[in-house]
Amino acid sequence: MATRFLSIPLLFGLSLPLTTWAQATSHAAARHVQQETGTLTGRIQLADEQAAESVSVLVKGTSLGTTTDAEGNFRLQAPAGWLTVAVTHVGYVTQLLTVQIKAGEAVTLPPLTLAKDQRQLSEVTVMGNRTINEKPVAAGKLPVRPLDLPQSIVTIDQRVLEQQQVLRVSDALANVSGVYVMGTTGGTQEELASRGFSMGSNNTFKNGVRYNNGALPEATALESFEVMKGSNAILYGNVAAGGIINLVTKKPRFQQGGQVGMRVGSYDFYKPFVDVYGAVNNSEHVAYRVNATYENARSFRQGVSSNRFYVNPSLLFKVGQKTDLLVEGDYLHDERTPDYGIGTINYRIVDVPRSRFLGPKWAYNNTDQTSLTTTLTHRLSDTWQVRLLGGYQGYDNDQRSTSRPIGVLENGDWSRSAQGSQTMQDYFLGELDVTGKFKTFFLGHAVLVGLDADKYNTTTPSYTAVAYDKINILDLDKYKQRADMPALSLASRNHTPIRRVGAYVQDLISVGEKVKVLAGVRYTYQETGTKSLAYKDYSITQSKRYDDAFSPRLGLVYQPIKTSSVFASYSNSFVLNTGIDRNGGALPPSTLNQFEVGVKNDLFNGALSANVTAYHIVNDGQAQTILQNSPSFNSDFPNAQELAGEVTSKGLEVDILSKPYQGWSLIGGYSYNHTSYTKSNIYEVGSLLRYNPNHTANLSLFYTLDHSILRGLQAGFTAYYVGERQAGRSTRQVGSNGQPINDTFKLIPLSSYTQFDASVGYAYQRLTLRLKLSNLLDKLSYNAHDDNSINPIAPRQLAATLTYQL
């Protein structure tokens, strides 16, 4: 009988027979260690239900020891025999355990809870895990503290995500200053922005691989939520200047554990979920983790519903003492009703019920998304490491609906058309990173050298819109709506392949203990092709363009004390332009220059982190149409553009985050942003860009009782403020002929609002129940895209989540 094995693709086609290979590796390594050692595993909890990260587990009388991870789990290889193990943590009573370790076997301790040391409580100010300034972020590629980097970085860990019952990525933004929702086009995705610039799919990552955020990412599988603000072009190429988001999913563990749970909420919301992990067949070399969830819900919008399934399996292979292979995959199937909001009349938001839906009953938006990431990490020494990453993502979206509400008459009448769209995309990535530390004379170096190559294959069939029916958005009973879904014919099929390759080097140079200099540069080369087939006459058009750019980065960090730093940096990024120049050639990329200064502080022995950042970003080569009265105008190419416009973004950000202290934890932030046209031949100089609030602020306060009969009771409060914004369409001062015009375009002002959420929870042994009341004051506001997708925010809603720890 033939031996069956699992084959996993690694870096575009290399296949590994993992089961056979892992067994051979496991047996070879085991022959050496099983004669003398065994494995001790367990999980530590703190009396106040806080995360027991960095708890020390030491074998007395030896130099052997380890610390717990973010969930309190530990794994320690120890000599066979009877051992005394000390479990210690600052502010808690040390516990001594006597255990017997047998050669080649694994011993798992029952869950252990550390009690507070009342004698030390008055002197202790720091309890919990590392601060946001101490914990390196995976998206940074270089394993150094954020305190040492000249850049604003915020990480929201799993404990906060669970406390706040984060359902969507936008929920987590209530913990990060200056990152906000700029639109929810069709209600099928969340368009995020930072510092005045959109954070689209090019700026969204999952485990370091670009992620198409055309579908709503699943939050239940997240281990942390990383935001690196500002320019990250040196690491990832042509990303927008505002920053990047990296979604870090939960990783495999060798300790057995997990949780099952159920979330229910308003409007028939149901979401069961499961998360299990452990060693494969008690192996010391292969671990697994599986997250899965199903979601079914209606909406406060009448006729709108959603249905989705998500699964996220992963495997970790300990190939040897210095080599790890992590294989992560996920699959999302998402079905929801496309919803373009309540409509506008002559650029005015319509006063209609918040629940009014203007689409047809048959409308649908279906998305299937699959990803696979393999990460091979080899430690050359204690200071040098090689990381090889391969990634694939498949994205398939199909939508049918009526058109966006454009051209609504003053009396509310609107003639709808039926339309369809489809996107099919395959994305591949290969990346090699080498990191290391060394010294030259009195200088210390932390170096990153890398190569990456990726490609997109995107196909977008388009359909011919057809007239459908007439409705009145003020009175839906005025006309009888059609109920049938019309057939749509293909109009064209567009194929857009993109090939990109980059090389980068970065060095964090330590000049003594107080001064650090970060210097680096990236070179990116990109090919973009287009091939369009028009079905009406079966004509084919093709084109190809070639772009390249250098992205330098330079920063200076001064640390007067070990827990504080002052920094300044310069970096640039680039964005591709799709137009043509005056001679009909490809328009070159636009380069954005960014300057950033800031202060980072870990105060009160690390109990509170407080960071302040100021920035100034200039796109002095924004693409704009060449007007007919311009000396650059060429009548042979009347739609040509030139890089003569300018957009400037400037602002200030404050981020505050505390460790848990005597049951209390705090997250706060404030941002000011001003993004405007500072040079334009069409728009008024000084006018603001759309969707960007001048001010945002956030505050989250949580308290956990760790004494009395109510021990385990939790209460939390979150406030999120979004300042005034504007949607609609920016008013043009002149037409394409260069003459003043009475423009029909108008901006739509969106008023500021503050949303309050309240939550309460209770944890008893393995059970935890959490209740959340969102939008406590039932505030009404909108997320908007142009003038044709004005989506009200959700009203007051109640959610309950019950989890059981396995």
Side-chain angles (χ1 to χ4, degrees):
M1 180 176 177
T3 301
R4 300 181 61 188
F5 59 87
L6 175 65
S7 178
I8 298 293
L10 174 65
L11 289 177
F12 313 123
L14 174 62
S15 295
L16 300 176
L18 293 180
T19 302
T20 304
W21 168 64
Q23 288 174 348
T25 305
S26 174
H27 294 160
R31 281 195 296 267
H32 174 70
V33 299
Q34 285 182 350
Q35 298 174 3
E36 302 175 357
T37 64
T39 304
L40 179 66
T41 64
R43 185 180 185 192
I44 310 299
Q45 298 174 331
L46 301 183
D48 53 5
E49 303 295 333
Q50 300 300 335
E53 184 179 5
S54 300
V55 173
S56 296
V57 181
L58 307 172
V59 179
K60 298 201 69 176
T62 74
S63 60
L64 299 175
T66 187
T67 57
T68 56
D69 60 22
E71 296 182 358
N73 298 310
F74 72 88
R75 181 174 184 267
L76 175 64
Q77 199 166 32
W82 287 94
L83 303 175
T84 300
V85 178
V87 181
T88 65
H89 195 51
V90 177
Y92 292 81
V93 177
T94 297
Q95 293 206 24
L96 299 179
L97 306 173
T98 301
V99 296
Q100 184 182 20
I101 304 295
K102 295 183 179 180
E105 296 185 6
V107 176
T108 300
L109 296 176
L112 178 65
T113 300
L114 295 184
K116 281 192 173 181
D117 189 344
Q118 301 298 328
R119 296 169 300 174
Q120 300 181 27
L121 190 57
S122 61
E123 303 174 3
V124 173
T125 57
V126 180
M127 290 177 286
N129 46 26
R130 289 175 288 181
T131 72
I132 59 171
N133 292 328
E134 293 175 325
K135 188 174 184 178
V137 291
K141 297 186 179 180
L142 195 62
V144 298
R145 302 181 306 166
L147 192 69
D148 297 332
L149 295 175
Q151 183 177 11
S152 177
I153 299 172
V154 177
T155 299
I156 304 302
D157 62 26
Q158 184 180 344
R159 177 181 60 86
V160 175
L161 298 176
E162 290 182 349
Q163 276 184 338
Q164 298 181 354
Q165 300 181 70
V166 167
L167 181 65
R168 302 284 180 249
V169 169
S170 59
D171 296 336
L173 299 185
N175 304 295
V176 184
S177 70
V179 184
Y180 45 88
V181 175
M182 65 178 298
T184 54
T185 305
T188 58
Q189 69 174 124
E190 295 177 328
E191 301 168 280
L192 309 180
S194 174
R195 298 184 175 182
F197 299 92
S198 172
M199 303 173 75
S201 296
N202 222 31
N203 286 54
T204 305
F205 296 79
K206 178 181 284 186
N207 299 319
V209 178
R210 277 186 170 87
Y211 180 81
N212 191 318
N213 64 3
L216 299 169
E218 181 56 50
T220 56
L222 295 186
E223 185 173 88
S224 63
F225 177 82
E226 300 177 344
V227 180
M228 296 183 67
K229 301 179 187 178
S231 174
N232 293 277
I234 191 173
L235 300 177
Y236 295 103
N238 60 318
V239 291
I244 66 168
I245 291 174
N246 186 38
L247 308 175
V248 182
T249 58
K250 299 172 182 177
K251 307 303 180 188
R253 302 189 185 281
F254 284 91
Q255 300 80 20
Q256 299 294 134
Q259 67 174 3
V260 294
M262 181 72 178
R263 177 169 179 160
V264 298
S266 303
Y267 305 103
D268 294 334
F269 181 93
Y270 302 98
K271 189 182 182 77
F273 55 90
V274 61
D275 173 23
V276 292
Y277 52 82
V280 176
N281 293 329
N282 296 317
S283 169
E284 296 182 5
H285 302 279
V286 186
Y288 73 92
R289 189 160 195 163
V290 178
N291 291 281
T293 184
Y294 170 76
E295 179 182 314
N296 185 279
R298 292 189 301 110
S299 168
F300 69 97
R301 305 275 296 155
Q302 293 179 356
V304 174
S305 62
S306 62
N307 188 297
R308 62 194 266 138
F309 169 75
Y310 177 82
V311 61
N312 170 215
S314 55
L315 289 169
L316 174 62
F317 299 89
K318 293 287 185 181
V319 182
Q321 292 185 350
K322 295 184 177 181
T323 306
D324 297 340
L325 175 64
L326 177 63
V327 182
E328 301 171 279
D330 66 359
Y331 170 72
L332 170 68
H333 177 74
D334 185 281
E335 300 177 2
R336 62 187 58 245
T337 308
D339 176 14
Y340 293 104
I342 60 174
T344 61
I345 297 179
N346 193 22
Y347 297 92
R348 301 190 314 271
I349 294 179
V350 180
D351 184 16
V352 297
R354 188 185 221 160
S355 61
R356 179 161 296 173
F357 173 59
L358 304 181
K361 293 182 179 180
W362 47 261
Y364 68 83
N365 184 91
N366 295 342
T367 301
D368 286 283
Q369 193 165 17
T370 306
S371 73
L372 177 64
T373 303
T374 58
T375 307
L376 183 68
T377 304
H378 179 67
R379 292 169 289 281
L380 299 171
S381 66
D382 291 340
T383 56
W384 285 91
Q385 176 178 284
V386 177
R387 176 175 170 269
L388 190 62
L389 183 147
Y392 165 77
Q393 181 186 168
Y395 175 84
D396 192 342
N397 175 263
D398 184 23
Q399 184 183 105
R400 298 290 186 276
S401 182
T402 50
S403 57
R404 301 180 183 186
I406 302 175
V408 181
L409 302 179
E410 284 290 337
N411 67 351
D413 284 357
W414 171 42
S415 296
R416 298 189 299 183
S417 62
Q419 63 182 21
S421 66
Q422 195 171 358
T423 300
M424 296 170 285
Q425 184 181 87
D426 291 307
Y427 174 69
F428 303 87
L429 168 69
E431 181 179 304
L432 172 66
D433 291 320
V434 179
T435 58
K437 295 182 179 181
F438 64 96
K439 285 190 175 183
T440 57
F441 302 105
F442 62 92
L443 300 178
H445 301 267
V447 176
L448 165 67
V449 179
L451 296 169
D452 58 28
D454 60 357
K455 65 177 182 179
Y456 284 95
N457 290 324
T458 306
T459 302
T460 53
S462 63
Y463 295 84
T464 301
V466 296
Y468 187 60
D469 67 357
K470 178 186 287 187
I471 68 170
N472 186 284
I473 70 172
L474 304 178
D475 180 9
L476 294 182
D477 294 327
K478 183 176 180 180
Y479 303 104
K480 183 179 180 180
Q481 297 186 34
R482 284 179 60 177
D484 61 305
M485 182 171 65
L488 300 176
S489 60
L490 279 168
S492 64
R493 187 180 185 91
N494 303 306
H495 180 60
T496 309
I498 298 175
R499 306 291 185 268
R500 183 168 44 208
V501 63
Y504 45 95
V505 59
Q506 180 175 277
D507 188 4
L508 180 64
I509 306 171
S510 299
V511 185
E513 295 184 356
K514 296 185 177 182
V515 178
K516 292 179 173 63
V517 178
L518 182 67
V521 65
R522 177 192 180 96
Y523 172 75
T524 302
Y525 173 80
Q526 179 165 316
E527 296 180 1
T528 305
T530 59
K531 181 178 180 180
S532 299
L533 168 64
Y535 286 96
K536 184 177 182 180
D537 55 7
Y538 288 96
S539 61
I540 298 177
T541 58
Q542 298 185 71
S543 65
K544 182 169 284 189
R545 56 177 296 149
Y546 308 91
D547 297 292
D548 65 341
F550 284 94
S551 302
R553 183 182 191 186
L554 180 65
L556 177 66
V557 179
Y558 174 66
Q559 298 174 339
I561 57 177
K562 292 183 178 180
T563 56
S564 296
S565 67
V566 181
F567 70 87
S569 69
Y570 162 77
S571 57
N572 76 16
S573 56
F574 66 97
V575 294
L576 299 180
N577 295 304
T578 58
I580 59 174
D581 63 19
R582 65 182 304 273
N583 298 315
L587 202 64
S590 296
T591 300
L592 292 83
N593 297 295
Q594 175 161 305
F595 301 89
E596 188 170 345
V597 296
V599 179
K600 300 179 184 180
N601 292 287
D602 284 341
L603 307 172
F604 310 114
N605 292 329
L608 184 72
S609 298
N611 301 340
V612 181
T613 307
Y615 58 88
H616 188 268
I617 308 171
V618 180
N619 178 1
D620 58 3
Q622 187 195 39
Q624 61 180 27
T625 302
I626 301 176
L627 303 181
Q628 294 178 14
N629 63 348
S630 168
S632 303
F633 181 74
N634 184 345
S635 59
D636 292 335
F637 301 100
N639 297 319
Q641 294 180 304
E642 59 183 347
L643 303 184
E646 183 179 87
V647 169
T648 300
S649 170
K650 52 188 177 182
L652 177 76
E653 296 166 345
V654 179
D655 286 291
I656 299 173
L657 191 145
S658 78
K659 290 182 179 180
Y661 172 63
Q662 295 189 5
W664 291 95
S665 60
L666 167 73
I667 299 175
Y670 165 77
S671 75
Y672 166 77
N673 173 263
H674 185 277
T675 304
S676 64
Y677 294 102
T678 46
K679 188 186 297 183
S680 177
N681 60 4
I682 294 179
Y683 303 114
E684 180 182 356
V685 172
S687 61
L688 299 178
L689 268 68
R690 297 172 297 167
Y691 314 125
N692 303 305
N694 283 135
H695 304 274
T696 66
N698 57 281
L699 175 66
S700 295
L701 189 63
F702 278 82
Y703 178 67
T704 301
L705 281 170
D706 56 7
H707 53 273
S708 78
I709 60 173
L710 297 179
R711 173 181 167 185
L713 183 66
Q714 302 173 344
F717 175 81
T718 299
Y720 183 55
Y721 170 79
V722 178
E724 294 179 352
R725 303 146 290 149
Q726 52 192 20
R729 299 175 187 265
S730 297
T731 305
R732 299 167 297 181
Q733 302 298 302
V734 296
S736 60
N737 58 2
Q739 301 301 314
I741 62 172
N742 183 17
D743 198 356
T744 57
F745 288 175
K746 296 180 183 178
L747 292 170
I748 300 175
L750 302 175
S751 60
S752 62
Y753 72 96
T754 303
Q755 179 171 315
F756 298 98
D757 298 341
S759 64
V760 62
Y762 182 71
Y764 178 74
Q765 295 182 356
R766 296 176 180 266
L767 280 173
T768 301
L769 175 65
R770 290 188 172 95
L771 304 177
K772 179 179 180 180
L773 190 63
S774 58
N775 199 355
L776 191 64
L777 302 182
D778 204 24
K779 187 68 177 179
L780 174 62
S781 188
Y782 306 89
N783 291 308
H785 180 85
D786 288 341
D787 59 339
N788 50 51
S789 190
I790 309 295
N791 297 87
I793 65 173
R796 183 188 300 117
Q797 296 187 83
L798 177 65
T801 305
L802 179 66
T803 59
Y804 177 79
Q805 296 293 328
L806 300 176

